[in-house]
Amino acid sequence: MQQLATDLRLQGPQGSKKQLQSTGNVWETCDSVLQLSRDNKSLVLLELSSVAAMVKDALGEIEEALRTDTESRWSELGDVLDEFSDDAWTEVDRELIAPCLGLVKTAKACLKKVSAAIQTNADCCIDGHIQHLDELVDNVQALSPAVDDLVCCLYPPLDKDAVRLNATKLSTAVNIVLHFFRGSYFCGAADEEWINFLCNAVNHNLDKVKGLCPTLNGSVA
């Protein structure tokens, strides 16, 4: 803006290439300002979208790796190599991976549902409401690293203790978001159904992981 004012003072209102460039820079800056989040609701939706994208990427990478591994097994060479490789999944591994991916998909669904509810029900007119949004962001930000930690330990060779530990951490992170959301002002009566569904999905998948990864004393608790 200062550069445009200087150009106008020195060259007059007739216009010049430099003046047009300065004007363009002003408009570009104005457009950028308009794109900035205007309130806490917009910031929260932006953060939810960012975390959801990272969860989607992590899920997509492991699913693609599983598909590639499956395709390699169709070749005779792939079968031979698998017998001598620590970089291939066994059928037992795949049985354990399934509920782990179920947990990741539950986290993904949680983010999608929470985002939709925030878009519809959230406002920034009351200080308490703003605080709820801020606390929700704090809880949501724990999902992406928890997903990454679980997905990373699903690559061969699998460490069942690490899988169990990180599956438990992700389950806890998802449950914290769901329970916080349920107690917030932006949770409506219609949201109870999907909250219950996702809570049950978390518990179901975690129970399956624990059943396939018993502790040293044989306990699955």
Side-chain angles (χ1 to χ4, degrees):
M1 180 67 76
Q2 183 178 3
Q3 182 62 50
L4 177 59
T6 301
D7 292 341
L8 286 172
R9 177 171 55 81
L10 296 177
Q11 301 173 20
Q14 291 80 10
S16 67
K17 181 178 180 180
K18 186 175 182 181
Q19 184 178 320
L20 290 173
Q21 290 175 338
S22 298
T23 302
N25 291 336
V26 170
W27 281 113
E28 183 178 350
T29 301
C30 290
D31 289 339
S32 298
V33 171
L34 290 174
Q35 294 300 319
L36 293 175
S37 298
R38 299 177 180 178
D39 52 40
N40 281 52
K41 176 179 176 178
S42 298
L43 287 169
V44 169
L45 289 171
L46 187 62
E47 182 62 26
L48 285 167
S49 177
S50 175
V51 173
M54 289 186 283
V55 169
K56 180 181 178 181
D57 287 346
L59 178 61
E61 288 175 7
I62 186 70
E63 288 181 330
E64 177 62 26
L66 286 164
R67 281 193 296 271
T68 301
D69 180 75
T70 299
E71 292 169 0
S72 72
R73 290 172 182 267
W74 287 96
S75 70
E76 182 177 349
L77 177 61
D79 291 337
V80 173
L81 291 176
D82 286 346
E83 295 180 8
F84 303 99
S85 176
D86 289 332
D87 296 329
W89 282 289
T90 67
E91 291 305 316
V92 174
D93 290 340
R94 287 173 173 271
E95 185 180 3
L96 174 57
I97 289 171
C100 292
L101 294 188
L103 287 172
V104 176
K105 291 176 181 178
T106 302
K108 180 182 175 184
C110 173
L111 288 164
K112 181 179 180 181
K113 288 292 189 179
V114 169
S115 295
I118 295 298
Q119 182 68 59
T120 302
N121 302 327
D123 66 67
C124 301
C125 300
I126 302 174
D127 287 344
H129 291 183
I130 295 175
Q131 183 178 354
H132 267 209
L133 288 171
D134 291 342
E135 291 178 13
L136 176 65
V137 169
D138 290 339
N139 292 328
V140 164
Q141 286 176 336
L143 290 179
S144 179
V147 166
D148 286 342
D149 288 344
L150 177 57
V151 168
C152 284
C153 69
L154 296 181
Y155 288 91
L158 265 66
D159 179 340
K160 288 189 174 182
D161 289 337
V163 172
R164 180 189 174 103
L165 174 63
N166 287 299
T168 301
K169 288 182 177 179
L170 177 57
S171 300
T172 300
V174 175
N175 277 326
I176 287 174
V177 173
L178 290 172
H179 293 158
F180 177 83
F181 180 84
R182 172 175 271 153
S184 67
Y185 79 90
F186 34 75
C187 177
D191 296 315
E192 283 295 328
E193 183 177 357
W194 65 259
I195 292 174
N196 289 332
F197 177 83
L198 293 182
C199 284
N200 289 335
V202 169
N203 294 334
H204 171 73
N205 284 299
L206 182 59
D207 285 345
K208 290 188 71 173
V209 171
K210 288 182 175 180
L212 295 167
C213 299
T215 57
L216 291 177
N217 62 10
S219 172
V220 297

